[in-house]
Amino acid sequence: MRKIVIAGNWKMNKTVAESVKLAGEVVAAAKDIKAVTVAIAPTYLALAKVAEVVAGSNVKLAAQDVHWENQGAFTGKVSADMLKEIGVDFVIIGHSEQRTYFGETDATVNKKVRKVQSLGMTPIICIGETLDERKSGQLESVLTRQVNGAYDGLSADDALRTVIAYEPVWAIGTGVTASDDEAQEAHAFVRGLLAARYGDSVAQSISIQYGGSMKPENAAGLLAQKDIDGGLIGGAALKADSFLGIVTPGETLSK
Ligand code: PEP
């Protein structure tokens, strides 16, 4: 059985006060949600305050990134121990914005995944192709490189403690969503990569989220796909009602 995991990535949005308010609204709206794991990822600055808001609720806390070293001269960065201390459950790693603007590579993704796992937090490993890569027939080679890079050196037990977010870069923040079939095809391919590394039973147990302009209007169709186990949500996560409009259809699913 795979968990449906729906996570809101707030990116560089919301002040601390706004984050606390939105977190409170999500906690209230999600209080009866049981079958779906719900998580929210505010900015680093708001994490500690939001941790207080979600404490004791069924909403998990996620961070948007992490550094792989414990401490030291890494200006602007935050370590996994710091995230752990305030109660972070999930850490988003390798988001396409990190890869595009801040030099994230498959190798740094792998270091971050290992670090986060060593402290018992769950990485949400983001992968996905650009439009050029898709158009030039590189979808499968890109996903293969990203998955193999992220999982390099991870045992089957480690792999079971990961979540993948398949996010076609051309769909992130654009309003253009992959069709249900396009998304399912990519997810099935990714699950096949996991099966090749770890066997079918492990691959069948790893949740693979879809990300890219997911919203209440298209969530049910995407989430109904056999290999889509939730969503990583940007824009639609910035309001409690649109976020919960994505979470709710997941309640009826079991995979
Ligand atoms: C994201 O940030 O991972 C994302 C999918 O954003 P959006 O939902 O806005 O496309």
Side-chain angles (χ1 to χ4, degrees):
M1 275 279 281
R2 298 193 296 272
K3 275 296 255 190
I4 307 295
V5 184
I6 309 238
N9 173 15
W10 295 357
K11 310 193 187 192
M12 197 175 72
N13 292 294
K14 308 280 175 194
T15 64
V16 175
E18 289 166 348
S19 299
V20 165
K21 180 168 178 286
L22 177 56
E25 290 164 4
V26 172
V27 165
K31 74 175 182 344
D32 296 323
I33 300 279
K34 295 200 171 58
V36 178
T37 300
V38 182
I40 51 178
T43 64
Y44 282 144
L45 198 61
L47 270 174
K49 284 280 183 200
V50 169
E52 291 170 12
V53 179
V54 301
S57 80
N58 55 356
V59 176
K60 306 281 184 202
L61 190 61
Q64 297 179 18
D65 190 26
V66 66
H67 195 272
W68 59 86
E69 294 290 348
N70 290 336
Q71 60 190 33
F74 300 101
T75 301
K77 300 300 173 197
V78 166
S79 77
D81 312 68
M82 296 168 189
L83 299 179
K84 179 76 184 172
E85 184 193 34
I86 57 167
V88 166
D89 302 290
F90 292 95
V91 184
I92 298 169
I93 296 176
H95 191 280
S96 80
E97 287 147 21
Q98 276 291 127
R99 293 181 191 257
T100 305
Y101 306 132
F102 303 112
E104 186 90 277
T105 65
D106 295 320
T108 58
V109 167
N110 181 256
K111 289 202 246 189
K112 291 176 179 183
V113 168
R114 288 162 178 257
K115 187 70 210 178
V116 157
Q117 286 205 316
S118 74
L119 292 171
M121 295 179 288
T122 302
I124 296 178
I125 302 167
C126 301
I127 58 172
E129 81 290 358
T130 64
L131 192 55
D132 280 353
E133 288 165 342
R134 175 172 275 260
K135 281 187 174 160
S136 59
Q138 295 177 73
L139 170 64
E140 295 191 351
S141 62
V142 169
L143 296 181
T144 303
R145 175 182 48 77
Q146 292 175 333
V147 168
N148 287 338
Y151 284 81
D152 188 30
L154 266 64
S155 68
D157 279 350
D158 296 333
L160 287 169
R161 295 183 294 115
T162 62
V163 170
I164 291 185
Y166 166 66
E167 302 201 292
V169 178
W170 46 273
I172 298 179
T174 57
V176 179
T177 319
S179 69
D180 297 347
D181 288 347
E182 282 170 333
Q184 165 56 28
E185 202 181 325
H187 280 237
F189 180 75
V190 171
R191 200 174 304 286
L193 293 173
L194 295 171
R197 290 187 71 90
Y198 299 110
D200 202 44
S201 138
V202 170
Q204 288 298 333
S205 302
I206 297 174
S207 299
I208 307 177
Q209 302 173 307
Y210 168 81
S213 299
M214 203 173 186
K215 47 186 180 260
E217 296 75 27
N218 58 28
L222 288 161
L223 293 174
Q225 303 305 307
K226 180 167 154 280
D227 288 293
I228 300 184
D229 311 316
L232 183 56
I233 323 296
L238 295 175
K239 290 203 172 115
D241 55 354
S242 53
F243 185 51
L244 269 293
I246 293 169
V247 172
T248 313
E251 272 291 274
T252 55
L253 302 170
S254 75
K255 301 205 175 168

